[in-house]
């Protein structure tokens, strides 16, 4: 057995997939990595400091003048298509871990208001529409609405201010919505807003209506709590459960702790990048063989905020953590896989995810040379690589 660590840099794409313009034609120009590098060089007067990502081969799969093209590390590097419709964190992680997520049900909340209202009322909640618009106010405090940060109809949210009620109350409402929701995710979101949530409701694309979460201040004001309630899929065949059944310890960190299913896993939920990296380093320093899956979420949040400089700062912070991880994974057979789940180009002109290829950068302790991988058709290939390093077969 060995130590295998997957670090998902959320929203870190390296160029548009051929079908990226199907929903938004402008997305064919998406390049999260390249545009962040270009913008930050101009804004900061220097290139981003990403020596670890350079050493891990990012410049080999995304040729950019600010990225190193040479490395002395033993690597296998390439890029992966997403392997699922749209560009979504939940679907991306589930696909990566081995679930068949090729069919995602798309539905606007407006099409299911009666079912959602009935379920919430049966659970004892007070439910009313907000000013005649197709979203619901539950118990006078929580908005149930279309998610405006993913492609239209992929996800619904239950959002509330933690000043008005504890997160457990928001989560309970989200769980009730989940019982009747046909969409990929119902997301419970609690935070501290700049004002009443109704002031930040707007129309989105494709007939959606919801809370403009970035504008509300939830991402800026600290204390953010999020729980992702996914569609019913077969988790038993996914990598975390397969590893656990084989006696391999599993640790899930950051957003991965919220959206991946494994009762046996140690969970370390966190949003702040410093906390995600600290938990990941702690898991590796423990010296126990096993699987660690970590998600760096704040890159994705910066993309949604269209804050390119913040995205660059988080990349630099992540890079320092990757350098430390590489130094710790020193046993023959240890593996570090750095990838993404979709793109989120902060320069593209909207706050949605972008449908991009993602890097697949695998450090192979004890190996030699650099192996260039062909384009993978799906993020499932990333999970299969991790499974192989642990002596498992995802099938």
């Amino acid at each position: 057995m060995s130590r295998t660590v997957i670090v998902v840099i959320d929203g870190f794409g390296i160029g548009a997939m051929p079908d990226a313009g199907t929903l938004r034609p402008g997305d064919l120009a998406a390049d999260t990595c390249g545009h962040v590098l270009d913008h930050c060089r101009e804004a900061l007067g220097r290139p981003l400091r990403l020596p670890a990502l350079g050493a891990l081969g990012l410049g080999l799969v995304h040729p950019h003048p600010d990225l190193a093209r040479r490395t002395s590390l033993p690597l296998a590097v390439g890029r992966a298509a997403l392997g699922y419709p749209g560009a979504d964190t939940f679907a991306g992680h589930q696909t990566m871990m081995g679930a068949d997520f090729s069919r995602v049900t798309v539905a606007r909340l407006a099409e299911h208001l009666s079912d959602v209202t009935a379920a919430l009322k049966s659970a004892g909640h007070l439910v009313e529409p907000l000013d005649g618009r197709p979203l619901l106010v539950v118990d006078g405090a929580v908005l149930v609405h279309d998610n405006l940060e993913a492609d239209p109809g992929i996800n619904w949210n239950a959002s509330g201010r933690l000043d008005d009620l504890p997160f457990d109350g928001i989560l309970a409402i989200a769980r009730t919505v989940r019982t009747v929701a046909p969409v990929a995710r119902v997301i419970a979101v609690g935070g501290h807003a700049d004002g009443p949530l109704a002031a930040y409701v707007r129309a989105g694309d494709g007939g959606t209506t919801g809370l403009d979460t970035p504008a509300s201040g939830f991402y800026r004001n600290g204390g953010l709590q999020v729980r992702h309630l996914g569609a019913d899929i077969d988790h038993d065949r996914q990598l975390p459960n397969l590893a656990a059944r084989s006696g391999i310890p599993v640790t899930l960190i950051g957003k991965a702790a919220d959206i991946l299913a494994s009762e046996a896993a140690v969970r370390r939920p966190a949003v702040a990048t410093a906390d995600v990296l600290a938990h990941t380093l702690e898991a590796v320093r423990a010296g126990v063989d096993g699987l660690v899956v970590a998600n760096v979420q704040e890159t994705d949040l910066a993309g949604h905020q269209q804050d390119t400089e913040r995205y660059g700062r988080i990349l630099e912070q992540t890079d320092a953590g990757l350098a430390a991880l590489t130094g710790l994974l020193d046993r023959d057979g240890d593996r570090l896989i750095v990838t993404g789940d979709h793109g989120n180009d902060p320069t593209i002109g909207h706050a949605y995810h972008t449908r991009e290829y993602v890097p697949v950068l695998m450090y192979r302790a004890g190996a030699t040379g650099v192996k260039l991988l062909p384009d993978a058709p799906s993020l499932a290939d990333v999970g299969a690589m991790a499974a192989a390093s642990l002596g498992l077969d995802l099938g």
Side-chain angles (χ1 to χ4, degrees), residues 263-323:
E263 291 186 5
V266 174
R267 296 181 184 274
R268 297 286 184 263
V271 175
T273 302
D275 294 338
V276 171
L277 295 173
H279 289 316
T280 306
L281 289 167
E282 179 185 0
V284 175
R285 287 189 180 115
V288 179
D289 292 339
L291 172 68
V292 178
V293 183
N295 174 286
V296 175
Q297 183 180 1
E298 286 190 303
T299 41
D300 189 52
L301 300 183
H304 288 308
Q305 293 169 319
Q306 300 174 69
D307 189 337
T308 312
E309 290 174 48
R310 183 188 179 204
Y311 198 118
R313 290 193 300 272
I314 297 164
L315 270 186
E316 289 189 326
Q317 185 180 12
T318 302
D319 192 86
L322 293 174

Side-chain angles (χ1 to χ4, degrees), residues 207-243:
T208 57
T209 302
L211 176 70
D212 188 335
T213 306
S216 74
F218 271 11
Y219 295 155
R220 297 191 304 272
N221 295 333
L224 180 69
Q225 295 188 60
V226 180
R227 184 71 61 85
H228 300 259
L229 307 178
D232 186 19
I233 57 178
D234 185 1
H235 296 293
D236 285 342
R237 297 179 58 195
Q238 291 184 285
L239 179 57
N241 278 321
L242 180 63

